[in-house]
Amino acid sequence: MRSEENLYSIALRHCPLIGDVIFRKLVREVGSPKEVWELSKSGLQNIFGIGRKIAVEIGNAHHLKFAEKEIAFCEKNNIKINLRHLGDLPTLLNECEDAPAILYQKGDLDFTRKAVSIVGTRNISAYGKMFIQDFLDAVKTEKFVTVSGLALGADAEVHEISIKNNIPTIGVLAHGFHTLYPSRNRKLSQKIIEENGVLLTEFNSSQKPDRENFIQRNRVIAGLSPATIVVETAFGGGSISTATFANNYNREVYALPGRIDEKYSQGCNQLIYQNKAAAISTISSLIEQLGFQEDGEKIGELFPTSEIKVLLPDHQLKILNALDRKIPFSLDDLAQKLEIPAFKILPDLLQLEILGYIKALSGRQYLVI
């Protein structure tokens, strides 16, 4: 029975113009993928929204032969076939209207564990790496899994640091299991499976890492978790689409703010400005918002020194350390003390004020909060 479900599900999903939403509609209306497959053309066209172009492909032996080959490929490579209509998908992903009808899986994982999706640019900076390392180190005793896209940069950092801290991690691919893109992450993908993580993809073994697949992949990354963290991204970066999907699914989104003149912080800053993401100010506040480590004493042990030091780059930290909590410093006084022109300090002061680390008084005077 299960093999029959797999066969007709793959064949039906392989038909042109049948995406995940139409697949689900057909199965709901008719009963099962096999019953859809065997329904007459006139019967198919009587279903609202199903036209002749869709109906003519259903029942085509070509798609059934493809499904047979795909099942053989999955059996040979130890790939599990998860079907949404049979309840195989992780609960949170299943709640998404456009969730994959079929989700291929390599590796085994307890999907009842809480998940946190973490994404970012391929051009991750030392600042972004530091955040990922510090955050995952702080929560490594929690029972949860990380989710990312197995791309270079931030994604790879998330997977690697998760493995280092014995945190199971999920890599979501933008292609079938017949290949691995980028090839540089092949060893990392194997390590993910070896260390109790999984690789997931909605794409069959005929589908290459085409550009449009990455946007489609990003909705799965967002759908798997109650919260998505955007580390660094430019305007229009792929991570923006992940955040957009998460917003559309009514999930939480957090973004790591950065300098306004840094290209790969601008996307995060924009998400925060547009109220599409909450600003990450400290590691402990993020942990609390995610529902981890609610015991205040435990957080205190993890962060015995100023949490500000965890997130701020050196040049902003110098400014912060030069200011006082009680005695206000003017912009000119600060410039003289640091031996830096006032116009170079001003953007960082504004950034520190937005992040809630300092307070601006009249006459361009500043205090540490």
Side-chain angles (χ1 to χ4, degrees):
M1 180 63 182
R2 180 63 196 226
S3 59
E4 187 176 83
E5 287 286 338
N6 289 342
L7 177 67
Y8 288 101
S9 294
I10 294 171
L12 190 60
R13 185 62 181 82
H14 190 250
C15 294
L17 304 180
I18 296 184
D20 298 306
V21 175
I22 292 179
F23 179 101
R24 191 181 187 199
K25 179 182 179 64
L26 285 166
V27 173
R28 275 180 168 177
E29 291 278 347
V30 181
S32 73
K34 183 180 181 182
E35 289 174 298
V36 173
W37 195 258
E38 295 175 344
L39 191 63
S40 67
K41 303 305 178 190
S42 59
L44 287 166
Q45 291 184 61
N46 285 334
I47 300 173
F48 180 77
I50 307 301
R52 187 186 64 81
K53 288 184 178 180
I54 293 177
V56 74
E57 289 290 339
I58 297 174
N60 188 326
H62 164 72
H63 303 304
L64 213 54
K65 288 179 181 178
F66 172 84
E68 290 171 351
K69 291 180 180 179
E70 189 67 15
I71 290 172
F73 173 82
C74 291
E75 290 174 350
K76 181 180 178 181
N77 293 281
N78 297 314
I79 297 167
K80 183 181 178 183
I81 302 170
N82 297 303
L83 302 180
R84 184 186 187 186
H85 68 277
L86 294 186
D88 295 338
L89 267 57
T91 303
L92 282 177
L93 182 59
N94 187 58
E95 291 176 0
C96 305
E97 180 64 26
D98 58 350
I102 304 170
L103 191 65
Y104 300 95
Q105 173 183 334
K106 288 196 78 170
D108 294 308
L109 181 65
D110 178 8
F111 285 107
T112 62
R113 281 192 176 204
K114 184 173 183 176
V116 177
S117 296
I118 309 174
V119 296
T121 177
R122 288 168 172 77
N123 301 288
I124 190 169
S125 69
Y127 171 59
K129 287 183 178 180
M130 180 177 65
F131 166 76
I132 292 171
Q133 292 168 7
D134 289 346
F135 171 68
L136 292 180
D137 183 64
V139 294
K140 62 186 177 184
T141 59
E142 298 291 330
K143 290 186 177 180
F144 80 109
V145 300
T146 59
V147 183
S148 200
L150 201 61
L152 299 175
D155 291 14
E157 190 76 11
V158 170
H159 296 306
E160 288 170 355
I161 301 303
S162 295
I163 291 169
K164 181 181 176 182
N165 286 317
N166 297 314
I167 301 169
T169 187
I170 300 172
V172 186
L173 309 181
H175 53 76
F177 278 123
H178 62 296
T179 188
L180 196 289
Y181 178 86
S183 58
R184 282 170 52 184
N185 282 346
R186 186 173 296 280
K187 287 185 178 179
L188 175 58
S189 70
Q190 294 169 349
K191 191 72 173 175
I192 288 172
I193 296 172
E194 291 169 2
E195 298 297 327
N196 302 313
V198 298
L199 301 179
L200 299 174
T201 183
E202 63 186 296
F203 301 101
N204 61 53
S205 64
S206 72
Q207 293 173 287
K208 300 176 182 179
D210 296 325
R211 182 168 183 168
E212 61 271 18
N213 292 355
F214 289 89
I215 299 296
Q216 206 167 324
R217 181 273 310 269
N218 290 346
R219 86 188 195 293
V220 176
I221 294 174
L224 284 165
S225 304
T228 292
I229 298 171
V230 184
V231 180
E232 288 180 312
T233 186
F235 287 126
S239 299
I240 299 296
S241 68
T242 310
T244 301
F245 283 121
N247 276 304
N248 291 341
Y249 297 149
N250 293 316
R251 309 292 169 78
E252 299 296 330
V253 180
Y254 302 93
L256 183 68
R259 285 172 55 102
I260 59 176
D261 60 346
E262 291 288 347
K263 177 180 178 180
Y264 295 105
S265 286
Q266 289 172 351
C268 288
N269 293 342
Q270 185 73 1
L271 286 171
I272 295 167
Y273 173 73
Q274 294 176 336
N275 294 318
K276 293 181 178 179
I280 298 171
S281 57
T282 63
I283 295 288
S284 67
S285 65
L286 176 61
I287 289 172
E288 184 178 356
Q289 287 173 299
L290 290 172
F292 293 148
Q293 307 248 356
E294 295 180 354
D295 184 349
E297 292 184 7
K298 195 171 184 181
I299 292 176
E301 292 171 5
L302 284 170
F303 303 98
T305 57
S306 173
E307 298 168 58
I308 291 168
K309 295 181 180 179
V310 176
L311 294 176
L312 294 181
D314 289 343
H315 59 275
Q316 290 185 356
L317 195 57
K318 287 179 181 178
I319 294 172
L320 202 61
N321 289 336
L323 293 171
D324 193 86
R325 292 184 182 274
K326 296 181 180 180
I327 302 172
F329 274 71
S330 70
L331 177 60
D332 291 337
D333 290 339
L334 193 59
Q336 185 176 1
K337 183 176 182 179
L338 294 173
E339 298 181 346
I340 299 173
F343 74 90
K344 288 190 175 181
I345 297 175
L346 198 55
D348 287 320
L349 286 170
L350 179 59
Q351 187 77 39
L352 290 169
E353 184 183 357
I354 291 172
L355 294 175
Y357 294 137
I358 66 173
K359 181 179 181 180
L361 307 175
S362 60
R364 286 191 173 181
Q365 298 189 90
Y366 301 89
L367 283 173
V368 174
I369 295 176

